[in-house]
């Protein structure tokens, strides 16, 4: 896909959690086509300690409103600066980058989308696109506590939502792979994004269930174009740059010991 460098205008910044903000961006021209699972590299202006762009998953694309949504975890100097953006500010973005998730080939396929923490971000856009194609996905979302669950009302617009929390304050207690859903229902495909231990556990379940599974890796990235080699992952195809060949991979191509 063609890549663009755009100065997108901030339409709104909403604090949806003590650590997370939802940034909505727009442009005078129609936004480029983007696929679920792709990401953008954003330039952080005004931070004396941030020299590299930051990779941010595409959370949602609203074609009618011409909006791109970015769910940002404000955990470092760069992302904290992004959280301080104001409506009307410009944010320089390189997009769309990477390869996305495999979408349904026919209506009615049973997809399970598993997310943890800020890893839920790309699954919202994927679920919305699947819903548009006539598939109703099942979301399995995990967090430490009920307060840490993100954007549940948005996810419920596009599919069935199941929840786990480590403290049991909402949904079933435990990790996503402990949810009773996995013992009751078989899925044709699984897509997951979140902490690596969670994704490895999901991959282990998928292999045992003989289910196709894709994961979105979150290796440290800098350029987003496969030039700097800081996001290299060992795979069955050899060493590859996650930003260019991924971030989405079928688990059969990864050398995980799951």
């Amino acid at each position: 896909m063609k890549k663009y460098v755009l100065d997108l205008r901030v339409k709104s910044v909403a604090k949806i959690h003590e650590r997370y903000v939802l940034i909505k961006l727009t442009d005078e021209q129609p936004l480029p086509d983007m696929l679920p699972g792709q990401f953008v590299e954003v330039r952080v202006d005004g931070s004396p300690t941030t020299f590299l762009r930051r990779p941010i998953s595409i959370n949602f694309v609203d074609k009618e409103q011409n909006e791109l949504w970015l769910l940002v975890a404000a955990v470092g100097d760069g992302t904290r600066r992004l959280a301080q953006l104001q409506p009307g500010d410009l944010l320089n973005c390189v997009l769309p980058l990477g390869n996305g998730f495999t979408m349904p080939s026919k209506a009615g396929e049973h997809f399970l989308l598993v997310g943890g923490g800020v890893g839920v971000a790309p699954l919202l856009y994927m679920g919305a696109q699947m819903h548009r194609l006539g598939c109703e996905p099942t979301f399995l979302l995990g967090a430490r506590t009920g307060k840490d669950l993100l954007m549940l009302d948005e996810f419920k617009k596009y599919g069935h939502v199941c929840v786990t929390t480590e403290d049991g304050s909402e949904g079933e207690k435990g990790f996503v792979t402990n949810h009773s859903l996995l013992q009751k229902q078989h899925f044709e495909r699984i897509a997951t994004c979140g902490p690596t231990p969670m994704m490895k556990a999901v991959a282990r379940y998928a292999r045992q269930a003989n289910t196709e599974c894709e994961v979105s890796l979150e290796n440290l990235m800098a350029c987003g174009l496969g030039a700097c080699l800081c996001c290299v992952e060992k795979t069955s195809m050899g060493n590859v740059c996650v930003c260019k060949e991924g971030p989405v991979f079928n688990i059969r191509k990864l050398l995980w010991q799951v």
Side-chain angles (χ1 to χ4, degrees), residues 10 33 35 50 54 69 93 159 161 174 186 196 215 225 233 237 244:
V10 176
D33 289 334
L35 300 175
T50 307
R54 290 293 183 263
W69 297 9
C93 301
V161 177
H186 176 74
T196 298
V215 301
L225 300 170
E233 178 81 13
M237 304 174 292
K244 186 175 181 182

Side-chain angles (χ1 to χ4, degrees), residues 17 79 85 89 91-92 119 121 125 128 137 142 179 183 185 205 239 256:
H17 183 276
T79 48
L85 289 168
D89 288 346
L91 184 63
N92 186 268
Y125 186 38
H179 199 285
Q183 309 304 321
Q185 189 170 344
Y205 164 82
N239 292 342
W256 285 356

Side-chain angles (χ1 to χ4, degrees), residues 45-250:
D45 297 326
S47 172
T49 62
T50 307
F51 306 103
L52 301 174
R53 289 178 179 266
R54 290 293 183 263
I56 308 290
S57 294
I58 293 169
N59 178 220
F60 191 76
V61 179
D62 187 331
K63 286 286 189 180
E64 293 185 1
Q65 299 297 322
N66 200 38
E67 291 177 352
L68 166 63
W69 297 9
L70 302 179
L71 181 61
V72 177
V75 295
D77 289 345
T79 48
R80 282 196 293 267
R81 174 57 187 160
L82 293 177
Q84 295 170 1
L85 289 168
Q86 298 295 318
D89 288 346
L90 294 178
L91 184 63
N92 186 268
C93 301
V94 182
L95 76 164
L97 297 172
N99 296 301
F101 290 104
T102 300
M103 297 299 289
S105 58
K106 63 182 186 298
E109 282 193 72
H110 293 96
F111 266 70
L112 177 66
L113 310 185
V114 186
V118 76
V120 304
L123 302 182
L124 179 63
Y125 186 38
M126 184 178 183
Q129 291 296 89
M130 290 177 63
H131 187 269
R132 185 179 63 84
L133 294 172
C135 288
E136 184 176 359
T138 297
F139 298 101
L140 179 52
L141 309 177
R144 291 182 179 179
T145 73
K147 293 181 179 179
D148 296 320
L149 291 163
L150 303 172
M151 306 183 75
L152 288 185
D153 289 341
E154 292 294 332
F155 282 102
K156 290 175 182 177
K157 294 178 182 179
Y158 305 110
H160 178 60
V161 177
C162 298
V163 165
T164 66
T165 51
E166 293 179 29
D167 66 353
S169 55
E170 189 162 344
E172 295 189 12
K173 184 175 182 178
F175 301 118
V176 289
T177 47
N178 302 133
H179 199 285
S180 59
L181 171 76
L182 300 182
Q183 309 304 321
K184 299 176 182 178
Q185 189 170 344
H186 176 74
F187 296 92
E188 295 170 69
R189 300 188 67 91
I190 298 174
T192 183
C193 183
T196 298
M198 184 209 77
M199 291 195 293
K200 287 186 175 181
V202 172
R204 187 181 306 114
Y205 164 82
R207 285 184 173 174
Q208 293 171 350
N210 196 29
T211 301
E212 287 292 308
C213 180
E214 291 181 332
V215 301
S216 180
L217 300 187
E218 296 185 325
N219 295 30
L220 182 66
M221 299 180 191
C223 72
L225 300 170
C228 69
L229 305 180
C230 81
C231 65
V232 167
E233 178 81 13
K234 292 182 179 180
T235 73
S236 60
M237 304 174 292
N239 292 342
V240 301
C241 290
V242 168
C243 68
K244 186 175 181 182
E245 303 298 330
V248 176
F249 292 90
N250 190 294

